[in-house]
Coordinates of all heavy atoms in Angstrom, one line a residue:
Y134 N -72.2 -12.4 19.9 CA -73.0 -12.8 18.7 C -74.4 -13.2 19.1 O -75.3 -13.3 18.2 CB -72.3 -13.9 17.9 CG -71.0 -13.4 17.3 CD1 -69.8 -14.0 17.7 CD2 -71.0 -12.4 16.4 CE1 -68.6 -13.5 17.1 CE2 -69.8 -11.9 15.8 CZ -68.6 -12.5 16.2 OH -67.4 -12.1 15.6
R135 N -74.7 -13.5 20.3 CA -76.0 -14.0 20.7 C -77.0 -12.9 20.9 O -78.2 -13.1 20.9 CB -75.9 -14.8 22.0 CG -75.1 -16.1 21.8 CD -75.1 -16.9 23.0 NE -74.2 -18.0 22.8 CZ -73.9 -18.9 23.7 NH1 -74.4 -18.8 24.9 NH2 -73.1 -19.9 23.4
I136 N -76.5 -11.7 21.0 CA -77.4 -10.5 21.3 C -77.2 -9.5 20.1 O -76.1 -9.1 19.8 CB -77.1 -9.9 22.6 CG1 -77.3 -10.8 23.8 CG2 -78.0 -8.6 22.8 CD1 -76.8 -10.3 25.1
F137 N -78.3 -9.1 19.5 CA -78.2 -8.1 18.4 C -78.2 -6.7 19.1 O -79.2 -6.4 19.8 CB -79.4 -8.3 17.5 CG -79.4 -7.2 16.4 CD1 -78.4 -7.2 15.4 CD2 -80.3 -6.2 16.4 CE1 -78.4 -6.2 14.4 CE2 -80.3 -5.2 15.5 CZ -79.4 -5.2 14.5
H138 N -77.2 -6.0 18.8 CA -77.2 -4.6 19.2 C -77.3 -3.7 18.0 O -76.5 -3.6 17.1 CB -75.8 -4.3 19.9 CG -75.5 -5.1 21.1 ND1 -76.1 -4.8 22.3 CD2 -74.7 -6.2 21.2 CE1 -75.7 -5.7 23.2 NE2 -74.9 -6.5 22.6
G139 N -78.5 -3.0 17.9 CA -78.7 -2.1 16.7 C -77.9 -0.9 16.8 O -77.1 -0.7 17.7
V140 N -78.3 0.1 16.0 CA -77.6 1.4 16.0 C -78.0 2.1 17.3 O -79.2 2.2 17.6 CB -78.0 2.2 14.8 CG1 -77.4 3.6 14.8 CG2 -77.7 1.5 13.5
P141 N -77.0 2.6 18.0 CA -77.4 3.3 19.2 C -78.2 4.6 18.9 O -78.1 5.2 17.8 CB -76.0 3.8 19.8 CG -75.0 2.9 19.1 CD -75.6 2.5 17.8
P142 N -79.1 4.9 19.8 CA -80.0 6.1 19.6 C -79.3 7.4 19.2 O -79.8 8.2 18.4 CB -80.8 6.2 20.9 CG -80.7 4.9 21.5 CD -79.4 4.3 21.1
D143 N -78.1 7.6 19.8 CA -77.4 8.8 19.5 C -76.9 8.9 18.1 O -76.5 10.0 17.7 CB -76.3 9.0 20.6 CG -75.3 7.9 20.6 OD1 -75.7 6.8 20.4 OD2 -74.1 8.2 20.9
L144 N -76.9 7.8 17.4 CA -76.3 7.8 16.0 C -77.5 7.7 15.0 O -77.2 7.4 13.8 CB -75.3 6.7 15.8 CG -74.0 6.8 16.6 CD1 -73.2 5.6 16.4 CD2 -73.3 8.0 16.2
R145 N -78.7 8.0 15.4 CA -79.8 7.9 14.4 C -80.2 9.2 13.8 O -81.2 9.3 13.2 CB -81.0 7.3 15.2 CG -80.8 5.8 15.5 CD -82.0 5.2 16.1 NE -81.7 3.9 16.6 CZ -82.4 3.2 17.4 NH1 -83.4 3.7 18.0 NH2 -82.0 2.0 17.8
G146 N -79.3 10.2 13.9 CA -79.6 11.5 13.3 C -78.3 12.3 13.2 O -77.3 11.9 13.8
L147 N -78.3 13.3 12.4 CA -77.2 14.1 12.2 C -76.6 14.8 13.4 O -75.4 14.8 13.7 CB -77.5 15.2 11.1 CG -76.3 16.1 10.8 CD1 -75.1 15.3 10.2 CD2 -76.8 17.2 9.8
A148 N -77.5 15.2 14.3 CA -77.1 15.9 15.5 C -76.3 14.9 16.4 O -75.3 15.3 17.0 CB -78.3 16.4 16.3
G149 N -76.8 13.7 16.5 CA -76.1 12.7 17.3 C -74.7 12.4 16.7 O -73.7 12.2 17.5
E150 N -74.7 12.2 15.4 CA -73.4 11.9 14.7 C -72.4 13.1 15.0 O -71.2 12.8 15.3 CB -73.6 11.7 13.3 CG -74.4 10.5 12.9 CD -74.8 10.4 11.5 OE1 -74.4 11.3 10.7 OE2 -75.6 9.5 11.1
L151 N -72.9 14.3 14.9 CA -72.0 15.4 15.1 C -71.5 15.5 16.5 O -70.3 15.8 16.8 CB -72.6 16.7 14.7 CG -72.9 16.9 13.2 CD1 -73.7 18.2 12.9 CD2 -71.6 17.0 12.4
D152 N -72.4 15.2 17.5 CA -72.0 15.2 18.9 C -71.0 14.1 19.2 O -70.0 14.4 19.9 CB -73.3 15.0 19.8 CG -74.2 16.2 19.9 OD1 -73.7 17.3 19.6 OD2 -75.3 16.0 20.3
D153 N -71.2 12.9 18.7 CA -70.3 11.8 18.9 C -68.9 12.1 18.2 O -67.9 11.8 18.8 CB -70.9 10.5 18.4 CG -71.8 9.8 19.3 OD1 -72.2 10.5 20.3 OD2 -72.1 8.6 19.1
A154 N -68.9 12.7 17.0 CA -67.7 13.0 16.4 C -67.0 14.1 17.2 O -65.7 14.1 17.3 CB -67.9 13.4 15.0
G155 N -67.7 15.1 17.7 CA -67.2 16.1 18.5 C -66.6 15.6 19.8 O -65.6 16.2 20.3
D156 N -67.1 14.5 20.3 CA -66.6 13.9 21.5 C -65.5 12.8 21.2 O -65.1 12.1 22.0 CB -67.7 13.2 22.3 CG -68.7 14.2 22.9 OD1 -68.3 15.4 23.1 OD2 -69.8 13.8 23.2
W157 N -65.1 12.8 19.9 CA -64.0 11.8 19.5 C -64.4 10.4 19.7 O -63.7 9.6 20.2 CB -62.7 12.2 20.1 CG -62.1 13.4 19.5 CD1 -62.3 14.7 19.9 CD2 -61.3 13.5 18.3 NE1 -61.7 15.6 19.0 CE2 -61.0 14.8 18.1 CE3 -60.7 12.5 17.4 CZ2 -60.3 15.3 17.0 CZ3 -60.0 13.0 16.4 CH2 -59.7 14.3 16.2
R158 N -65.7 10.1 19.4 CA -66.1 8.7 19.4 C -66.0 8.1 18.0 O -66.5 8.7 17.0 CB -67.6 8.6 19.9 CG -67.7 9.0 21.4 CD -69.1 8.8 21.9 NE -69.2 9.3 23.2 CZ -70.3 9.9 23.7 NH1 -71.3 10.0 23.0 NH2 -70.3 10.3 24.9
G159 N -65.5 6.9 17.9 CA -65.2 6.3 16.6 C -66.5 6.1 15.8 O -66.5 6.4 14.6
R160 N -67.6 5.6 16.3 CA -68.8 5.4 15.6 C -69.3 6.7 15.0 O -69.9 6.7 13.9 CB -69.9 4.7 16.5 CG -69.6 3.3 16.8 CD -70.8 2.7 17.5 NE -70.4 1.5 18.2 CZ -71.3 0.8 18.9 NH1 -72.5 1.2 19.0 NH2 -70.9 -0.3 19.5
G161 N -69.2 7.8 15.7 CA -69.7 9.1 15.2 C -68.9 9.5 14.0 O -69.5 10.0 13.0
F162 N -67.6 9.3 14.1 CA -66.8 9.7 12.9 C -67.1 8.8 11.7 O -67.2 9.3 10.6 CB -65.3 9.5 13.2 CG -64.6 10.8 13.7 CD1 -64.5 11.0 15.1 CD2 -64.2 11.7 12.9 CE1 -63.9 12.1 15.6 CE2 -63.6 12.9 13.4 CZ -63.4 13.1 14.7
I163 N -67.3 7.5 11.9 CA -67.6 6.6 10.8 C -68.9 7.0 10.2 O -69.0 7.1 9.0 CB -67.6 5.1 11.3 CG1 -66.2 4.7 11.7 CG2 -68.1 4.2 10.2 CD1 -66.1 3.4 12.4
Q164 N -69.9 7.2 11.0 CA -71.2 7.6 10.5 C -71.2 8.9 9.7 O -71.8 9.1 8.7 CB -72.3 7.7 11.6 CG -72.6 6.4 12.3 CD -73.7 5.7 11.6 OE1 -73.5 5.0 10.6 NE2 -74.9 5.8 12.0
L165 N -70.4 9.9 10.3 CA -70.3 11.2 9.6 C -69.6 11.0 8.3 O -70.0 11.7 7.3 CB -69.6 12.1 10.6 CG -69.5 13.6 10.1 CD1 -70.8 14.2 9.9 CD2 -68.6 14.4 11.1
G166 N -68.6 10.2 8.3 CA -67.8 10.0 7.0 C -68.7 9.4 5.9 O -68.6 9.7 4.8
L167 N -69.5 8.4 6.3 CA -70.4 7.8 5.4 C -71.5 8.8 4.9 O -71.9 8.8 3.7 CB -71.1 6.6 6.0 CG -70.1 5.4 6.3 CD1 -70.9 4.3 7.0 CD2 -69.5 4.9 5.0
L168 N -71.9 9.6 5.8 CA -72.9 10.7 5.4 C -72.2 11.6 4.4 O -72.8 12.1 3.4 CB -73.4 11.4 6.6 CG -74.5 12.5 6.3 CD1 -75.7 11.8 5.8 CD2 -74.8 13.2 7.6
M169 N -71.0 12.0 4.6 CA -70.2 12.9 3.7 C -70.1 12.2 2.3 O -70.2 12.8 1.3 CB -68.9 13.2 4.3 CG -68.9 14.1 5.5 SD -67.4 14.2 6.4 CE -66.3 15.0 5.2
L170 N -69.8 10.9 2.4 CA -69.7 10.1 1.1 C -71.0 10.2 0.3 O -71.0 10.3 -0.9 CB -69.3 8.7 1.4 CG -68.9 7.8 0.2 CD1 -67.8 8.4 -0.6 CD2 -68.7 6.4 0.7
L171 N -72.1 10.0 1.0 CA -73.4 10.1 0.4 C -73.7 11.5 -0.1 O -74.4 11.7 -1.2 CB -74.5 9.7 1.4 CG -75.9 9.5 0.9 CD1 -76.0 8.4 -0.1 CD2 -76.8 9.3 2.1
A172 N -73.2 12.5 0.6 CA -73.5 13.9 0.2 C -72.7 14.4 -1.0 O -73.1 15.3 -1.7 CB -73.3 14.8 1.4
T173 N -71.6 13.7 -1.3 CA -70.7 14.1 -2.4 C -71.4 14.1 -3.7 O -71.4 15.2 -4.4 CB -69.4 13.3 -2.4 OG1 -68.8 13.4 -1.1 CG2 -68.5 13.7 -3.5
P174 N -72.1 13.1 -4.2 CA -72.7 13.2 -5.5 C -73.9 14.2 -5.5 O -74.2 14.7 -6.5 CB -73.2 11.7 -5.7 CG -73.1 11.0 -4.5 CD -72.1 11.7 -3.6
V175 N -74.5 14.3 -4.3 CA -75.6 15.3 -4.3 C -75.0 16.7 -4.5 O -75.6 17.5 -5.2 CB -76.4 15.2 -2.9 CG1 -77.4 16.3 -2.8 CG2 -77.0 13.9 -2.8
A176 N -73.9 17.0 -3.9 CA -73.2 18.3 -4.1 C -72.8 18.5 -5.5 O -72.9 19.6 -6.0 CB -72.0 18.4 -3.1
R177 N -72.4 17.4 -6.2 CA -72.1 17.5 -7.6 C -73.3 17.9 -8.4 O -73.2 18.7 -9.3 CB -71.5 16.1 -8.0 CG -71.2 16.1 -9.5 CD -71.8 14.9 -10.2 NE -71.3 14.7 -11.5 CZ -72.0 15.1 -12.6 NH1 -73.1 15.7 -12.4 NH2 -71.5 14.9 -13.8
V178 N -74.4 17.3 -8.1 CA -75.6 17.6 -8.9 C -76.1 19.0 -8.6 O -76.5 19.8 -9.6 CB -76.7 16.6 -8.6 CG1 -78.0 17.0 -9.3 CG2 -76.3 15.2 -9.0
V179 N -76.0 19.5 -7.4 CA -76.4 20.9 -7.0 C -75.4 21.8 -7.8 O -75.9 22.8 -8.3 CB -76.3 21.1 -5.5 CG1 -76.4 22.6 -5.2 CG2 -77.4 20.3 -4.8
F180 N -74.1 21.5 -7.8 CA -73.2 22.4 -8.5 C -73.5 22.4 -10.0 O -73.4 23.5 -10.6 CB -71.7 21.9 -8.3 CG -70.8 22.6 -9.2 CD1 -70.3 23.9 -8.8 CD2 -70.3 22.1 -10.4 CE1 -69.5 24.6 -9.7 CE2 -69.4 22.7 -11.2 CZ -69.0 24.0 -10.8
S181 N -73.9 21.3 -10.5 CA -74.2 21.2 -12.0 C -75.4 22.1 -12.3 O -75.5 22.7 -13.3 CB -74.5 19.8 -12.4 OG -73.3 19.0 -12.3
V182 N -76.4 22.1 -11.4 CA -77.6 23.0 -11.6 C -77.1 24.4 -11.7 O -77.6 25.2 -12.6 CB -78.6 22.8 -10.5 CG1 -79.7 23.9 -10.5 CG2 -79.3 21.4 -10.6
V183 N -76.3 24.8 -10.8 CA -75.8 26.2 -10.7 C -75.0 26.5 -12.0 O -75.2 27.6 -12.7 CB -74.9 26.5 -9.5 CG1 -74.2 27.8 -9.5 CG2 -75.7 26.3 -8.2
A184 N -74.1 25.6 -12.4 CA -73.3 25.8 -13.6 C -74.2 25.9 -14.9 O -74.0 26.8 -15.7 CB -72.3 24.7 -13.8
F185 N -75.1 25.0 -15.0 CA -76.0 25.1 -16.2 C -76.9 26.3 -16.2 O -77.2 26.8 -17.2 CB -76.9 23.8 -16.3 CG -76.1 22.5 -16.6 CD1 -76.4 21.4 -15.9 CD2 -75.0 22.6 -17.4 CE1 -75.7 20.2 -16.2 CE2 -74.3 21.4 -17.7 CZ -74.6 20.2 -17.1
T186 N -77.3 26.8 -15.0 CA -78.0 28.0 -14.9 C -77.2 29.2 -15.4 O -77.7 30.0 -16.1 CB -78.5 28.2 -13.4 OG1 -79.3 27.1 -13.1 CG2 -79.3 29.5 -13.3
M187 N -75.9 29.2 -14.9 CA -75.0 30.3 -15.4 C -74.8 30.2 -16.9 O -74.6 31.3 -17.5 CB -73.7 30.3 -14.6 CG -73.9 30.6 -13.1 SD -72.3 30.6 -12.2 CE -71.5 32.0 -12.9
Q188 N -74.8 29.0 -17.4 CA -74.6 28.9 -18.9 C -75.9 29.1 -19.7 O -75.9 29.1 -20.9 CB -74.0 27.5 -19.2 CG -72.6 27.3 -18.8 CD -72.1 25.9 -19.1 OE1 -72.9 25.0 -19.3 NE2 -70.8 25.8 -19.2
R189 N -77.0 29.3 -18.9 CA -78.3 29.5 -19.5 C -78.7 28.4 -20.4 O -79.3 28.6 -21.4 CB -78.3 30.8 -20.3 CG -78.1 32.0 -19.4 CD -78.3 33.3 -20.2 NE -78.0 34.4 -19.3 CZ -77.4 35.5 -19.7 NH1 -77.0 35.7 -20.9 NH2 -77.2 36.5 -18.8
D190 N -78.4 27.2 -19.9 CA -78.8 26.0 -20.6 C -80.0 25.4 -19.9 O -79.9 24.6 -19.0 CB -77.7 25.0 -20.6 CG -77.9 23.8 -21.6 OD1 -79.0 23.5 -22.0 OD2 -76.9 23.3 -22.1
R191 N -81.2 25.8 -20.4 CA -82.5 25.5 -19.7 C -82.8 24.0 -19.7 O -83.2 23.4 -18.7 CB -83.6 26.2 -20.3 CG -83.5 27.7 -20.0 CD -84.7 28.4 -20.7 NE -84.6 29.9 -20.5 CZ -85.2 30.8 -21.2 NH1 -86.0 30.4 -22.1 NH2 -85.0 32.0 -21.0
L192 N -82.5 23.3 -20.8 CA -82.8 21.9 -20.9 C -81.9 21.1 -19.8 O -82.5 20.3 -19.1 CB -82.5 21.4 -22.3 CG -82.7 19.9 -22.5 CD1 -84.2 19.5 -22.2 CD2 -82.3 19.4 -23.9
Y193 N -80.6 21.4 -19.8 CA -79.8 20.7 -18.8 C -80.2 21.1 -17.4 O -80.0 20.2 -16.5 CB -78.3 21.0 -19.1 CG -77.7 20.2 -20.1 CD1 -78.5 19.5 -21.1 CD2 -76.3 19.9 -20.1 CE1 -77.9 18.7 -22.1 CE2 -75.7 19.1 -21.1 CZ -76.5 18.5 -22.1 OH -76.0 17.7 -23.0
V194 N -80.6 22.3 -17.1 CA -81.0 22.7 -15.8 C -82.2 21.9 -15.4 O -82.3 21.3 -14.3 CB -81.4 24.2 -15.7 CG1 -82.1 24.5 -14.4 CG2 -80.1 25.0 -15.8
L195 N -83.2 21.7 -16.3 CA -84.4 20.9 -16.0 C -84.0 19.5 -15.8 O -84.5 18.9 -14.8 CB -85.3 21.1 -17.2 CG -86.8 20.7 -17.0 CD1 -87.4 21.7 -15.9 CD2 -87.5 20.9 -18.3

Side-chain angles (χ1 to χ4, degrees):
Y134 293 117
R135 294 181 185 179
I136 302 171
F137 176 73
H138 299 282
V140 178
D143 57 327
L144 292 177
R145 292 186 185 160
L147 180 59
E150 293 171 4
L151 292 173
D152 286 343
D153 276 14
D156 291 339
W157 287 87
R158 293 186 184 143
R160 287 187 198 180
F162 268 96
I163 293 169
Q164 292 274 83
L165 186 60
L167 293 176
L168 185 62
M169 292 167 62
L170 186 63
L171 185 65
T173 299
V175 176
R177 177 228 190 264
V178 174
V179 169
F180 172 78
S181 296
V182 169
V183 172
F185 293 141
T186 300
M187 291 182 69
Q188 290 180 336
R189 296 186 182 143
D190 194 335
R191 292 181 184 160
L192 178 62
Y193 276 24
V194 168
L195 200 61

